[in-house]
Amino acid sequence: MKTHARILFVDDEPHVLSALKRMLRRKSDVWDMHFVENGTDALHLLERHPIDIIISDIRMPGMDGAELLTRIKELSPGTIRIALSGQVDMNEVVRSIKAVHQYISKPCEAGYLIDRIESALRSQAILTNNKMIQLVTRIEALPVIPEVFEEAEAELRKDEPSIEVIATTIARDVGLVAEIIKLINSPYFGLPTQVDSVEKAITLLGLDTIRALIFSTHLFTVYEEKTLPTFSLSLLWEHSFRVSNIARLIATHEAASRHVITQCRMAGLLHDVGKLVMASAFSKKYTEALDQVASHPETTISQAEQDLFEITHAEVGAYLMGLWGMSSDVVHAIGYHHRFNEIDNDVARYLSLADSIDHHFVILHDQYSRTSLREKLLSSKVNQEEFTQWISYINENWSGESPLNAIPTATITELFTEEKHHAPSNSPGR
């Protein structure tokens, strides 16, 4: 029985491999590491042994890293694929990005490389369903709202496109946000640390790279609502935007660090990306899940997903974001945003509460049923006074009309006395 993670390093420069061996020597008791100088040897090794993670240079003679990782993706979709590379041009990034889960720039510190590998291994451990592992590791890109794609493309075609208009348009779509974060952390930019802020990423990318990103349509799967009529991508995004702001504002009110506040915002934007994966990849089966929720009001979408897929959107989303190199706090928060009793850090706690608050108070349509919030508040040790302060702070600091403005005091009091509303929503935001 295999107990050690098997990791394969590929680089055509022997001195780089020697340096990696020295850097990672202290992990030799927990990792089974292999070092080869070309893609052919890497494929031969894969034929003999399963590989958990492959870390390959991009620029290599003969079979380069992009071709190797593409082959690995086809032969072993469950293998996590990481590019460890120096400065590369934009064409190489675009050609390789479909086969790469995340990029690491070299040279890099031993501690940083170990952290990235351990993060990827933790992400792999989130899923135990082999079919879902193979599905998620095959994902090239997340769906993009057609209207967002069209608006961004139209602006980019103008003689003098507005970076402000493009940034505002892109920020509306969770799938595009994820792709931008993935791209900004590639070797093309040579940044020493991970960028996890949407605003900073858009500013750093610039118009030319935005144009390459948007026009490279093969990076994205355009979501077509006609394939799943009961699933609304627009409503899902609106929910994600609200949760992002609610989590950020609660963290701000609690005097959390700037880092935690930033992580809350990012986790809120991305917390339901697993629904995009599941709905677009399994449209018929996901329709069954939505129908199950609609016909059984006591069932949540997460419960229906678990029944039909043996996995939930929270785990799928966390796995994908972990593969793409998001911070461990964000990955953990996404994975546990429904499992409040397992929350063990501030980002996860704020996200879980924000998600429940939005589901409970924001009524999307006539058939919308509120979900229970009381249990989560009490389990998170939130009292009525603290919760009232949160709602007041959110309303005062929301940009525009707050969705929580009309909550009467009696409704808040009811949350801490008797649970009367417990039916889950049948909306895709649940």
Side-chain angles (χ1 to χ4, degrees):
M1 180 177 178
K2 189 191 77 169
T3 57
H4 289 183
R6 185 174 283 113
I7 303 171
L8 171 60
F9 296 86
V10 187
D11 199 298
D12 64 299
E13 299 184 28
H15 73 274
V16 172
L17 294 178
S18 296
L20 287 170
K21 290 178 182 178
R22 291 193 299 271
M23 287 171 58
L24 303 173
R25 186 173 297 148
R26 67 178 185 266
K27 303 297 291 185
S28 60
D29 59 333
V30 292
W31 293 347
D32 182 6
M33 292 178 281
H34 303 265
F35 303 82
V36 300
E37 297 181 14
N38 57 71
T40 300
D41 288 348
L43 293 175
H44 286 162
L45 181 64
L46 182 65
E47 290 176 357
R48 300 192 301 272
H49 306 287
I51 298 297
D52 293 298
I53 299 178
I54 179 171
I55 302 175
S56 175
D57 189 15
I58 292 296
R59 287 184 171 176
M60 297 188 294
M63 184 188 304
D64 66 7
E67 181 182 353
L68 170 62
L69 294 175
T70 299
R71 297 277 298 277
I72 294 290
K73 175 184 174 183
E74 296 168 351
L75 296 170
S76 178
T79 297
I80 296 173
R81 304 176 299 275
I82 298 176
L84 177 62
S85 185
Q87 198 80 2
V88 295
D89 63 36
M90 189 61 193
N91 289 333
E92 289 173 306
V93 171
V94 171
R95 193 166 71 87
S96 65
I97 199 169
K98 295 178 68 174
V100 176
H101 290 125
Q102 62 173 289
Y103 291 90
I104 300 177
S105 297
K106 68 177 183 182
C108 66
E109 297 292 331
Y112 179 75
L113 179 58
I114 291 171
D115 285 345
R116 299 274 25 105
I117 294 173
E118 290 180 338
S119 176
L121 290 171
R122 284 195 299 271
S123 298
Q124 191 178 57
I126 290 174
L127 295 186
T128 57
N129 184 312
N130 188 58
K131 290 183 179 179
M132 190 59 71
I133 289 175
Q134 295 201 17
L135 165 72
V136 178
T137 50
R138 283 184 183 274
I139 295 298
E140 297 171 357
L142 297 176
V144 178
I145 299 174
E147 290 82 357
V148 170
F149 181 88
E150 291 169 3
E151 289 176 22
E153 183 181 36
E155 184 65 26
L156 284 167
R157 291 189 182 280
K158 293 181 180 179
D159 292 336
E160 296 183 10
S162 166
I163 187 65
E164 182 177 354
V165 171
I166 295 169
T168 301
T169 301
I170 289 175
R172 287 169 42 204
D173 185 78
V174 63
L176 196 50
V177 166
E179 285 295 343
I180 287 173
I181 294 298
K182 181 181 177 182
L183 185 61
I184 196 68
N185 288 308
S186 75
Y188 177 72
F189 298 96
L191 301 176
T193 58
Q194 294 284 108
V195 173
D196 53 11
S197 162
V198 178
E199 292 80 4
K200 185 176 180 180
I202 293 173
T203 300
L204 290 174
L205 283 172
L207 286 177
D208 289 339
T209 304
I210 289 291
R211 181 177 286 106
L213 180 62
I214 296 295
F215 289 170
S216 298
T217 55
H218 62 279
L219 296 178
F220 305 100
T221 302
V222 176
Y223 181 87
E224 297 180 3
E225 293 201 25
K226 65 181 180 181
T227 64
L228 194 57
T230 55
F231 186 87
S232 171
L233 191 60
S234 296
L235 288 180
L236 180 63
W237 168 241
E238 291 169 8
H239 165 70
S240 298
F241 176 78
R242 290 192 304 270
V243 169
S244 173
N245 276 312
I246 292 171
R248 175 180 63 85
L249 290 170
I250 291 175
T252 302
H253 181 270
E254 294 299 292
S257 68
R258 179 176 296 181
H259 172 76
V260 167
I261 293 170
T262 298
Q263 299 293 290
C264 282
R265 184 170 189 176
M266 184 58 63
L269 287 172
L270 299 173
H271 78 282
D272 273 345
V273 294
K275 290 180 180 177
L276 301 182
V277 176
M278 299 175 79
S280 60
F282 299 114
S283 58
K284 290 184 179 180
K285 198 169 183 179
Y286 207 77
T287 298
E288 292 181 31
L290 295 175
D291 291 343
Q292 183 175 325
V293 173
S295 59
H296 299 87
E298 73 282 358
T299 302
T300 67
I301 189 62
S302 294
Q303 291 169 339
E305 291 167 350
Q306 186 67 47
D307 289 343
L308 291 170
F309 297 94
E310 301 179 14
I311 204 74
T312 73
H313 66 272
E315 294 160 303
V316 172
Y319 183 54
L320 185 61
M321 292 299 99
L323 290 181
W324 285 3
M326 295 299 296
S327 73
S328 58
D329 282 352
V330 170
V331 170
H332 180 83
I334 292 172
Y336 292 94
H337 73 269
H338 288 305
R339 298 159 67 177
F340 59 89
N341 59 318
E342 297 183 31
I343 293 171
D344 59 10
N345 68 38
D346 287 340
V347 179
R349 178 173 183 266
Y350 296 142
L351 172 63
S352 182
L353 288 166
D355 181 61
S356 295
I357 288 170
D358 188 73
H359 281 316
H360 186 86
F361 289 117
V362 179
I363 308 302
L364 300 179
H365 48 72
D366 293 341
Q367 288 76 41
Y368 189 95
S369 300
R370 288 173 174 166
T371 188
S372 170
L373 174 60
R374 179 175 183 268
E375 186 177 7
K376 182 159 294 187
L377 289 171
L378 298 181
S379 297
S380 299
K381 299 180 180 179
V382 178
N383 59 46
Q384 183 174 344
E385 180 181 0
E386 182 179 20
F387 184 75
T388 302
Q389 291 176 355
W390 286 356
I391 299 301
S392 177
Y393 185 83
I394 290 168
N395 289 335
E396 291 172 1
N397 292 275
W398 196 276
S399 179
E401 182 68 18
S402 169
L404 308 181
N405 259 332
I407 302 175
T409 302
T411 299
I412 296 178
T413 300
E414 180 182 295
L415 286 173
F416 293 88
T417 55
E418 181 180 1
E419 185 176 17
K420 295 183 178 180
H421 300 289
H422 57 272
S425 166
N426 59 359
S427 79
R430 178 62 29 160

